[in-house]
């Protein structure tokens, strides 16, 4: 009887591990998408600021 209980517990732990792995995978994908969205938002802003500075003649050559 004890062996059967332990096998059942092991199976529950395996299922929980698979579920936790899926949650982790989904969170990693979400984080990647979030970071990509932030990068896309920042890029046009930097380009726009650079363009305004160039138009105003405020860009100095390095």
């Amino acid at each position: 009887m004890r062996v059967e209980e332990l096998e059942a517990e092991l199976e529950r732990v395996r299922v929980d591990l698979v579920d936790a792995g899926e949650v982790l995978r989904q969170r990693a994908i979400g984080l990647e998408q979030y970071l990509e969205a932030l990068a896309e938002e920042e890029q046009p802003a930097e380009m726009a600021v650079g363009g305004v500075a160039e138009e105003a003649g405020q860009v100095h050559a390095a």
Side-chain angles (χ1 to χ4, degrees), residues 13-25:
V13 170
R14 285 181 178 158
V15 169
D16 288 346
L17 182 59
V18 169
D19 290 345
E22 180 62 20
V23 168
L24 178 60
R25 188 184 71 79

Side-chain angles (χ1 to χ4, degrees), residues 42-55:
E42 290 176 5
Q43 181 112 13
E46 291 172 2
M47 292 172 64
V49 169
V52 170
E54 287 174 3
E55 290 175 9

Side-chain angles (χ1 to χ4, degrees), residues 28-47:
I29 290 170
L31 177 59
E32 183 178 316
Q33 291 172 342
Y34 174 73
L35 293 174
E36 287 173 359
L38 282 179
E40 288 175 4
E41 287 180 9
E42 290 176 5
Q43 181 112 13
E46 291 172 2
M47 292 172 64

